[in-house]
Amino acid sequence: MLARTGRAAREVRVPEHLEGLSGLVIPGGESTTVEKLIVKDRLDEAIRERFRDGGLALFGTCMGLIVLSRGIEGSRRLRLGLLDVAVARNAYGRQRESFEAAVALNGLAGEPEWVGGTAPVTGVFIRAPVITRTGAGVRVLAVHGGRPVLVREGNALGAAFHPELTEDARIHEYFARIAENAGGTRGGGV
């Protein structure tokens, strides 16, 4: 999806892979497995350090949102704690209850990095988390069924759905622009 926006992208598996990047996407997947992998080589510490020094933007989709969150309801499991939201895992239902829905992007209207117009995006919700709490500094950019599904706090962006599973690259373009602003001269890709 990032290639569609004209940005270079690469896999990140160890802290050294973060060098030269201005943004990191933590995609959907199995959170228990990903959490173990990022701790193994201290990638979690490197992500936190780069994010806190302002040189790395983060985008978590579905499971990535869980990993970025400050709280997971009913769990003490590891998370990066860099986005002031709490989530409930799989709260939209099991695999067979996955669905697609139009998601209005009303909250993006005042965002300087947003150039995607007003048409809704298709939200692909697969065992998706529900955002149950947002901190004071978190901006709700999109809502579905009365619940926040796209949020931003500083250089951290989180989506409860999978924008990468559609043909619409607008949210990834938005994130790439956030990353470019965060990375300054350091930005060598996302």
Side-chain angles (χ1 to χ4, degrees):
M1 188 59 81
L2 290 166
R4 287 188 189 165
T5 72
R7 290 357 184 262
R10 68 173 181 244
E11 286 187 10
V12 172
R13 296 182 182 269
V14 295
E16 295 77 27
H17 293 167
L18 292 171
E19 286 303 315
L21 293 183
S22 59
L24 177 67
V25 177
I26 304 173
E30 171 46 48
S31 60
T32 304
T33 301
V34 170
E35 289 167 345
K36 287 178 183 176
L37 291 172
I38 66 173
V39 169
K40 182 180 157 229
D41 292 314
R42 302 180 97 155
L43 181 57
D44 58 333
E45 293 174 17
I47 292 169
R48 282 187 194 101
E49 182 180 324
R50 283 285 312 281
F51 177 76
R52 289 183 177 140
D53 81 9
L56 184 69
L58 299 170
F59 181 20
T61 65
C62 197
M63 179 276 307
L65 169 64
I66 295 167
V67 172
L68 286 179
S69 74
R70 289 222 180 117
I72 304 169
E73 292 197 2
S75 176
R76 294 182 183 262
R77 293 181 34 218
L78 167 77
R79 60 207 169 272
L80 291 172
L82 298 173
L83 182 58
D84 192 9
V85 298
V87 298
R89 295 176 73 234
N90 304 325
Y92 278 102
R94 297 170 101 53
Q95 188 78 24
R96 69 177 176 269
E97 295 157 328
S98 299
F99 64 96
E100 293 183 12
V103 174
L105 302 172
N106 300 334
L108 285 161
E111 295 287 301
E113 296 90 355
W114 181 251
V115 293
T118 58
V121 297
T122 299
V124 179
F125 294 82
I126 303 170
R127 294 176 54 211
V130 166
I131 298 170
T132 59
R133 179 193 60 76
T134 58
V138 175
R139 295 190 307 274
V140 175
L141 304 176
V143 175
H144 173 70
R147 297 176 170 153
V149 294
L150 182 65
V151 295
R152 178 179 179 184
E153 181 181 26
N155 291 331
L157 184 65
F161 57 96
H162 290 271
E164 74 278 8
L165 296 179
T166 71
E167 297 296 317
D168 189 339
R170 290 180 295 160
I171 292 177
H172 285 79
E173 173 67 32
Y174 172 64
F175 173 68
R177 289 170 183 250
I178 293 169
E180 288 163 356
N181 290 337
T185 59
R186 185 189 309 206
V190 189

